[in-house]
């Protein structure tokens, strides 16, 4: 059936298995060490932040390009037909805010 092993072979097998077990235990100790766990969590969080920031950058850049394309022509010059109405609205809103702010100050 199976070959008979000598006591020296059995002893060598025991020594080899003890070494393997010691290496496995050392690896497990490193994996469950709080610093290792914290470093892993920090690395994953940093990765998520980097990925999210990258997506946000792309989205903002795309939005700004769209706005720029709407208000400038192919050579990059402002399109007066689109810039002037927006400027008037901005000035109007700013004026309303100033008037509203002055009215609130008078009431106090």
């Amino acid at each position: 059936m199976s070959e008979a092993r000598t006591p020296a072979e059995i002893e060598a097998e025991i020594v080899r298995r003890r070494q393997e077990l010691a290496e496995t235990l050392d690896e497990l100790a490193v994996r469950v060490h709080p610093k290792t766990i914290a470093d892993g969590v920090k690395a994953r969080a940093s990765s998520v932040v980097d990925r999210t920031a990258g997506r946000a950058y792309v989205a903002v850049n795309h939005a700004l390009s769209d706005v720029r394309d709407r208000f400038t022509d192919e050579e990059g010059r402002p399109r007066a037909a689109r810039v002037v109405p927006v400027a008037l609205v901005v000035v109007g809103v700013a004026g309303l805010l100033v008037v509203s702010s002055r009215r609130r100050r008078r009431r106090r």
Side-chain angles (χ1 to χ4, degrees):
M1 291 191 196
S2 65
E3 296 181 24
R5 297 188 301 174
T6 65
E9 291 172 336
I10 295 171
E11 197 172 313
E13 175 73 15
I14 290 171
V15 167
R16 184 181 63 75
R17 294 218 176 188
R18 279 185 182 155
Q19 288 173 343
E20 289 174 358
L21 181 60
E23 290 172 8
T24 302
L25 289 173
D26 289 345
E27 186 179 326
L28 288 172
V30 169
R31 285 185 186 179
V32 300
H33 192 277
K35 183 173 181 354
T36 304
I37 294 170
D39 289 346
V41 169
K42 285 187 339 189
R44 284 190 298 277
S46 177
S47 173
V48 168
V49 168
D50 288 346
R51 193 170 40 252
T52 303
R55 288 179 183 157
Y57 175 80
V58 168
V60 168
N61 194 21
H62 183 68
L64 288 174
S65 292
D66 286 348
V67 169
R68 187 176 336 127
D69 291 344
R70 290 180 187 196
F71 290 98
T72 59
D73 61 14
E74 294 77 26
E75 285 119 28
R77 293 181 304 222
R79 294 182 183 180
R82 292 190 178 173
V83 173
V84 172
V86 171
L88 291 174
V89 169
V90 169
V91 169
V93 169
L96 288 174
L97 290 174
V98 168
V99 169
S100 173
S101 174
R102 287 184 180 172
R103 284 186 183 174
R104 277 192 226 139
R105 287 184 188 161
R106 288 183 196 166
R107 290 181 188 167
R108 292 182 188 178

